Amino acid sequence: LKDRLRRAYDELSALQVALENEIKSFDLYRRAAAEADQDAARQMYTWLAGAERTHFNMLMANYETISSEASWV
């Protein structure tokens, strides 16, 4: 049990870092889209922001699964 909790903690820590990076990337691409002068650039940055949101959602689903398995019920 102790090893399982330690492993869950390490995984949650890694996921927290990944989630923070996804938020930063999303914000970067969203700002770039707002500042883009060309439609093609705006579309590309908007698409990239959407991809970062998808990554965030996938990582958050993993985070929630791991955190619920490691917590008391």
Side-chain angles (χ1 to χ4, degrees), residues 7-10 13-16 20-21 24-25 28 30 32 39 42-43 45 47-48 50-51 53-55 69 73:
R7 192 171 44 251
Y9 175 78
D10 291 343
S13 296
L15 285 168
Q16 285 175 333
E20 290 170 6
N21 287 331
K24 289 176 187 175
S25 296
L28 173 74
R30 190 174 45 89
D39 286 338
R42 189 173 10 267
Q43 289 174 1
Y45 288 127
W47 184 87
L48 288 168
R53 183 185 304 258
T54 299
H55 300 157
E69 290 175 357
V73 179

Side-chain angles (χ1 to χ4, degrees), residues 48-62:
L48 288 168
E52 298 303 331
R53 183 185 304 258
T54 299
H55 300 157
F56 178 90
N57 290 337
M58 290 173 19
L59 290 166
M60 182 56 77
N62 285 311

